C-alpha cells in the first residue's frame, strides 16, 4: 500500500511519459457565437406539459381501467356477480348523497386517526430511546423483528378479549400495524445519516432532544416519510379488515361494516361502491397528501429524485 | 492544568489516537505533541492516511485520545463545541434541507451567540466573502463540490470561534479559486487575527497559508518536525528561499529518518515548560 501517491518523491527519477498513440496538430480557435442558439429557455407546449404531469398520466391510466371495467361488465351482463361501473357509481353517488357513506367513512376515520397518531407517537418514543442508548436499540430491533411480520388482524382476537367490541380494540390493532413499520424505517433512516452531518451538528453544541429534532429527523426525513406512507397503508388495510371481522360495534359500523352488510344483502353494486370508497380514500391520501409533503420537503431538498 | 503562557491556545500532549473497528485496532497517530499559539496559522502537513483528519477531529472533541491530553483555552477537550468550529474534508457537512443562507445562519442560531437581527447580516457578509451571494437561496444539492466547501467555510468563519479547524478546505477547488480562497483567508486573518488549524497535503499550500508547519510521518502519524513558514507567499514562488523550504519539507516528509534520531523541533513542549 502506498501512502505517498499524492506526492511522489522527487529524489527518484520519474519514469518517462508514455508516447501518445497518434500525434495530431494543436489548434486554438475563437469561441462559437452563442447568440445563434436562439431560444435558451422556452415554455413547453401544452401537450408536452400535460404528458410530463404525473397526475394527468395517472388519471389517463385510471380512465382506461374504468372503460375496460365497464365494457367487460356489460359484456358479462351479470350484475349480481360483477356490476357495471355506471351501476356502481350510481349506488356510490346515491349513498354518498343520502349521507350513509359519509357517516360510515367518518366512523372508520375516527379509530384510524387515533391509531395512526398513537402508532406514530409510540414509534417516536421507541426510536428516541433506540438512538440514545444501545440497550434501547437492542430492544427496538428485537421487538420489530418479532412483531413486524405478525399480521395486525391476527392480534384482533386478543384485542377483543382485552378491550371488547369497540373503538379501543380497533385502535389497538391499528397501533400494532403502524408502530413497527414506522419505527423500523425511522431507525434505518437515523442510522444512515452521514457521519459528517452528525459531527457538524454536534459541532454546534447540539445534544439530546435538540440534536434529534434539528439534525437527525430532517436528515432521515426521506426514510421517515417512507415509513409513514407504509404505516398509513397498513393502518387503512387493517382497519377495513378488522371491521369486516368485527361486524357491528355500537350503533353504526364503518366502511368495512358497510361492505359486509351489503354482502349479506347480496347487494353487489353496494359492495363495489364500498370498495370504491376504500380505494378512493387510500388514493387521495397517498397521491394528494403524501405527494404534497414529498414535493415540499425531500424533493425540494434534493434528497430524493 | 499547568499554568502556561497565555499565548498558548491549543496544547496537544502525547496524543495517541486509535480507531476500533469490529476486527481491527488502527492507530492513527502516536504520541503527537504540539502547541498552537494565539493567532497562529498552524498547518498540519503529512501524507495521505497519516492521521491528519483524526488529529483535527480529536482537537474538535469528536474523538477521545487513548493517551495524552488536548487542552484548548486552558480547558481539557472532552466534547465538541462551537468554540472549535470545524470545516470537514467531506462535502456532506451541509444540511440538505436548508438553503445556503440558512446553513450559514444555523450555528449562530443554535448556539445563540449573536442577536437574532445580527445573524442574518453576519451570514450575508460571510457568504459575500466566499463569493456566493448569488446562490444564497439555493439548496446545497444544486451546488458544486467546491461551492459546498465555501459555504462550510463561511459557516465556520461567521461564528468567529476561538480556533478554526479546517480539514483540507481548499482541496476540492480549482487552482484559481483555491488561490483566491487562500488569499481571502490570509486577508481575513490579517483583519481578525483568529487562530486556525489547517490540514493539507500540499507543500506549497502549507508554505503560503501557514505561519507554522507541523510535519507528520506516514501512518501511524508521529511528529517529524515543526517549522517556521516565514512570510513566503505566492510572489516568492520562484525565490530560492521558497524552493529551499519546500525541498526541506519534502525531505522531511518522504525520507525515512535514521532510527532513534529525533529531528529538530519535534519536542516543542520542552521549550514551553
Ligand atoms: N472511521 C475509521 N475507522 C477505522 N479507521 C479509520 C477511520 N478513519 C480513518 N481511519 C484510519 O486512520 C488512519 C488515518 O486516517 P485520517 O483520515 O486521519 O488520514 P488523513 O491524514 O486525514 O488522510 P487524507 O490526507 O487522505 O485525508 C488511516 O490509516 C485510516 O485507515
Ligand atoms: Mg483527511
Amino acid at each position: 500500500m502506498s501512502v505517498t501517491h499524492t506526492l511522489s518523491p522527487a529524489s527518484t527519477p520519474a519514469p518517462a511519459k508514455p508516447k501518445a498513440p497518434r500525434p495530431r496538430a494543436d489548434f486554438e480557435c475563437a469561441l462559437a457565437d452563442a447568440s445563434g442558439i436562439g431560444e435558451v429557455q422556452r415554455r413547453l407546449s401544452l401537450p408536452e406539459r400535460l404528458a410530463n404531469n404525473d397526475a394527468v398520466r395517472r388519471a389517463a391510466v385510471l380512465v382506461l381501467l374504468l372503460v375496460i371495467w365497464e365494457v367487460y361488465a356489460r359484456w358479462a351482463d351479470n350484475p349480481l356477480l360483477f356490476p357495471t361501473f355506471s351501476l356502481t357509481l350510481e349506488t356510490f353517488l346515491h349513498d354518498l348523497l343520502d349521507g350513509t357513506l359519509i357517516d360510515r367513512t367518518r366512523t372508520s376515520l375516527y379509530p384510524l386517526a387515533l391509531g395512526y397518531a398513537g402508532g406514530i407517537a409510540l414509534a417516536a418514543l421507541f426510536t428516541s430511546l433506540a438512538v440514545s442508548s444501545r440497550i434501547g436499540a437492542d430492544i427496538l430491533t428485537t421487538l420489530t423483528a418479532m412483531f413486524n411480520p405478525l399480521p395486525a388482524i391476527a392480534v384482533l382476537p386478543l384485542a377483543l378479549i382485552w378491550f371488547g367490541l369497540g373503538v379501543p380494540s380497533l385502535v389497538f390493532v391499528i397501533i400494532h400495524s403502524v408502530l413497527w413499520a414506522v419505527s423500523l424505517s425511522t431507525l434505518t433512516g437515523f442510522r444512515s445519516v452521514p457521519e459528517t452531518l452528525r459531527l457538524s451538528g454536534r459541532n454546534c453544541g447540539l445534544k439530546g432532544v435538540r440534536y434529534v429534532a434539528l439534525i437527525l429527523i430532517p436528515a432521515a426525513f426521506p426514510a421517515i416519510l417512507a415509513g409513514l406512507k407504509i404505516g398509513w397503508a397498513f393502518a387503512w388495510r387493517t382497519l377495513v379488515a378488522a371491521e369486516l371481522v368485527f361486524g357491528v360495534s355500537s350503533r353504526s359500523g364503518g366502511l368495512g361494516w358497510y361492505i359486509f352488510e351489503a354482502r349479506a344483502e347480496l347487494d353487489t353494486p353496494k359492495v363495489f361502491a364500498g370498495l370504491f370508497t376504500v380505494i378512493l380514500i387510500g388514493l387521495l391520501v397517498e397521491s394528494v397528501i403524501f405527494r404534497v409533503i414529498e414535493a415540499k420537503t425531500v424533493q425540494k431538498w434534493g434528497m430524493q429524485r | 492544568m499547568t499554568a502556561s503562557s497565555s499565548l498558548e491556545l491549543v496544547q496537544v500532549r502525547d496524543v495517541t489516537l486509535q480507531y476500533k473497528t469490529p476486527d481491527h485496532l488502527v492507530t492513527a497517530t502516536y504520541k503527537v505533541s504540539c502547541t498552537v499559539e494565539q493567532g497562529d496559522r498552524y498547518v498540519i502537513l503529512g501524507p495521505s492516511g497519516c492521521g491528519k483528519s483524526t488529529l483535527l477531529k480529536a482537537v474538535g472533541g469528536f474523538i477521545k485520545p487513548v493517551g495524552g491530553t488536548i487542552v484548548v483555552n486552558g480547558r481539557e477537550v472532552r466534547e465538541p463545541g462551537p468554540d472549535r468550529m470545524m470545516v470537514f474534508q467531506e462535502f456532506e457537512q451541509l444540511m440538505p434541507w436548508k438553503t445556503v443562507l440558512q446553513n450559514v445562519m444555523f450555528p449562530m442560531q443554535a448556539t445563540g451567540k449573536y442577536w437574532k437581527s445580527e445573524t442574518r447580516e453576519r451570514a450575508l457578509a460571510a457568504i459575500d466573502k466566499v463569493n456566493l451571494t448569488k446562490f444564497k437561496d439555493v439548496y446545497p444539492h444544486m451546488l458544486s463540490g467546491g461551492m459546498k466547501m465555501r459555504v462550510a467555510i463561511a459557516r465556520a468563519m461567521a461564528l468567529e470561534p476561538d480556533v478554526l479547524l479546517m480539514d483540507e478546505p481548499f482541496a476540492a477547488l480549482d487552482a484559481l479559486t483555491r488561490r483566491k480562497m487562500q488569499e481571502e483567508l490570509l486577508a481575513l486573518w490579517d483583519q481578525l487575527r483568529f487562530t486556525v488549524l489547517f490540514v493539507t497535503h500540499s507543500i506549497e499550500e502549507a508554505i503560503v497559508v501557514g505561519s507554522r508547519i507541523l510535519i507528520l510521518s506516514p501512518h501511524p502519524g508521529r511528529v517529524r518536525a515543526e517549522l517556521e513558514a516565514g512570510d513566503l507567499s505566492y510572489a516568492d514562488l520562484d525565490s530560492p528561499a521558497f524552493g529551499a523550504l519546500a525541498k526541506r519539507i519534502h525531505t522531511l516528509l518522504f525520507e525515512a529518518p535514521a532510527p532513534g534520531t529525533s529531528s529538530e523541533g519535534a519536542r516543542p513542549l520542552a521549550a514551553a515548560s
Side-chain angles (χ1 to χ4, degrees):
Chain A
M1 192 195 103
S2 144
V3 286
T4 60
H5 62 269
T6 46
L7 287 163
S8 78
S11 46
T12 52
K17 187 178 166 191
K19 270 210 157 56
R22 188 175 70 85
R24 270 152 288 177
D26 297 352
F27 72 87
E28 288 180 20
C29 63
L31 285 181
D33 184 14
S35 63
I37 298 175
E39 32 178 25
V40 175
Q41 194 180 6
R42 163 178 78 93
R43 210 170 147 73
L44 296 175
S45 70
L46 188 64
E48 275 176 315
R49 260 182 291 150
L50 284 183
N52 277 341
N53 188 323
D54 284 348
V56 171
R57 281 202 316 274
R58 281 180 203 173
V61 173
L62 205 62
V63 169
L64 187 73
L65 286 178
L66 292 182
V67 169
I68 294 173
W69 173 5
E70 182 72 25
V71 169
Y72 174 76
R74 271 175 201 264
W75 175 78
D77 195 24
N78 190 344
L80 202 60
L81 283 186
F82 202 89
T84 60
F85 171 62
S86 37
L87 190 58
T88 306
L89 193 65
E90 203 175 295
T91 320
F92 172 76
L93 286 178
H94 175 266
D95 283 2
L96 190 69
L97 291 180
D98 78 359
T100 339
L101 265 176
I102 294 175
D103 216 37
R104 293 294 147 98
T105 308
R106 202 183 303 135
T107 316
S108 282
L109 287 184
Y110 174 63
L112 182 75
L114 272 185
Y116 193 54
I120 292 171
L122 279 177
L125 189 72
F126 271 102
T127 37
S128 309
L129 288 179
V131 286
S132 51
S133 70
R134 199 152 87 188
I135 185 74
D138 290 339
I139 292 174
L140 182 60
T141 28
T142 317
L143 287 182
T144 34
M146 272 166 59
F147 292 128
N148 204 26
L150 188 67
I153 212 69
V155 295
L156 186 61
L158 190 63
L160 290 178
I161 294 172
W162 284 351
F163 304 106
L165 278 176
V167 173
S169 286
L170 282 177
V171 172
F172 178 78
V173 288
I174 293 170
I175 286 182
H176 169 86
S177 70
V178 174
L179 173 57
W180 311 115
V182 174
S183 310
L184 192 66
S185 53
T186 307
L187 194 62
T188 316
F190 282 176
R191 291 207 168 137
S192 52
V193 174
E195 184 63 19
T196 318
L197 200 53
R198 294 163 183 274
L199 294 185
S200 83
R202 283 173 53 208
N203 203 169
C204 302
L206 295 177
K207 266 183 277 187
V209 180
R210 290 219 307 155
Y211 174 66
V212 174
L214 293 176
I215 304 287
L216 285 187
I217 290 179
F221 204 66
I224 295 175
L225 197 61
L228 291 179
K229 271 159 84 170
I230 297 172
W232 156 256
F234 279 9
W236 190 221
R237 245 189 263 185
T238 304
L239 174 73
V240 175
E243 281 178 348
L244 278 171
V245 176
F246 227 63
V248 67
S249 65
S250 46
R251 248 172 335 99
S252 64
L255 272 174
W257 177 245
Y258 174 89
I259 296 169
F260 191 75
E261 207 177 37
R263 185 214 63 121
E265 292 161 9
L266 272 183
D267 190 348
T268 320
K270 212 169 143 180
V271 173
F272 269 65
L275 291 175
F276 191 71
T277 317
V278 171
I279 293 174
L280 208 64
I281 292 173
L283 214 62
L284 204 72
V285 171
E286 162 76 37
S287 57
V288 176
I289 298 181
F290 279 116
R291 280 232 61 99
V292 169
I293 296 179
E294 244 169 32
K296 292 218 165 199
T297 57
V298 289
Q299 278 178 3
K300 191 165 92 180
W301 306 335
M303 295 168 92
Q304 189 182 66
R305 290 301 316 146
Chain B
M1 292 299 106
T2 53
S4 51
S5 154
S6 61
L7 279 176
E8 290 172 6
L9 192 61
V10 182
Q11 291 159 307
V12 177
R13 289 209 189 99
D14 290 328
V15 166
T16 301
L17 296 162
Q18 288 177 334
Y19 285 105
K20 278 199 191 72
T21 62
D23 42 22
H24 281 291
L25 186 71
V26 183
T27 302
T29 70
Y30 182 71
K31 293 212 170 177
V32 170
S33 298
C34 62
T35 303
V36 179
E37 297 191 352
Q38 191 86 49
D40 264 348
R41 300 188 306 277
Y42 197 90
V43 173
I44 301 170
L45 185 64
S48 181
C50 77
K52 304 181 296 294
S53 298
T54 312
L55 183 61
L56 209 63
K57 279 181 187 162
V59 176
F62 301 109
I63 300 174
K64 280 210 173 62
V66 287
T69 53
I70 300 172
V71 177
V72 173
N73 234 346
R75 264 172 310 172
E76 188 169 344
V77 170
R78 291 182 196 284
E79 55 181 8
D83 56 328
R84 286 152 284 140
M85 277 306 277
M86 180 143 176
V87 177
F88 294 90
Q89 190 175 8
E90 296 85 6
F91 292 141
E92 68 269 33
Q93 56 190 309
L94 299 182
M95 294 164 215
W97 60 93
K98 287 180 182 290
T99 62
V100 167
L101 180 62
Q102 289 166 343
N103 259 293
V104 176
M105 281 164 65
F106 181 76
M108 294 192 265
Q109 291 164 334
T111 56
K113 192 172 164 185
Y114 299 96
W115 292 105
K116 264 211 173 82
S117 52
E118 215 180 340
T119 52
R120 204 186 144 84
E121 273 168 44
R122 295 185 60 86
L124 285 172
I127 291 170
D128 191 48
K129 284 230 167 63
V130 295
N131 259 333
L132 285 174
T133 305
K134 259 196 343 206
F135 295 89
K136 69 176 172 21
D137 293 320
V138 155
Y139 286 91
H141 73 104
M142 289 187 248
L143 301 178
S144 72
M147 288 155 93
K148 284 184 202 164
M149 219 55 194
R150 276 141 69 194
V151 177
I153 293 168
R155 178 171 76 172
M157 300 240 235
L159 200 65
E160 285 185 355
D162 291 347
V163 200
L164 194 58
L165 308 172
M166 299 177 107
D167 193 352
E168 301 190 21
F170 305 148
L173 306 180
D174 65 276
L176 266 179
T177 316
R178 180 181 317 139
R179 199 152 156 172
K180 206 179 154 295
M181 292 295 299
Q182 289 166 347
E183 277 158 11
E184 200 63 57
L185 183 71
L186 290 175
L188 212 68
W189 181 87
D190 213 25
Q191 231 181 70
L192 303 171
R193 304 280 160 154
F194 49 86
T195 310
V196 55
L197 252 82
F198 190 103
V199 165
T200 180
H201 54 222
S202 153
I203 294 176
E204 191 186 278
E205 183 167 77
I207 296 176
V208 172
V209 170
S211 60
R212 254 186 114 66
I213 304 173
L214 180 78
I215 298 172
L216 294 181
S217 71
H219 181 251
R222 286 147 294 165
V223 173
R224 180 81 178 85
E226 198 190 79
L227 310 175
E228 192 67 30
D231 47 9
L232 294 166
S233 74
Y234 273 116
D236 313 305
L237 207 54
D238 299 320
S239 75
F242 198 107
L245 185 56
K247 187 142 194 323
R248 183 165 168 219
I249 293 173
H250 203 286
T251 316
L252 286 168
L253 271 177
F254 297 112
E255 267 161 38
T261 57
S262 97
S263 53
E264 73 275 45
R267 300 251 76 89
L269 278 178
S273 57

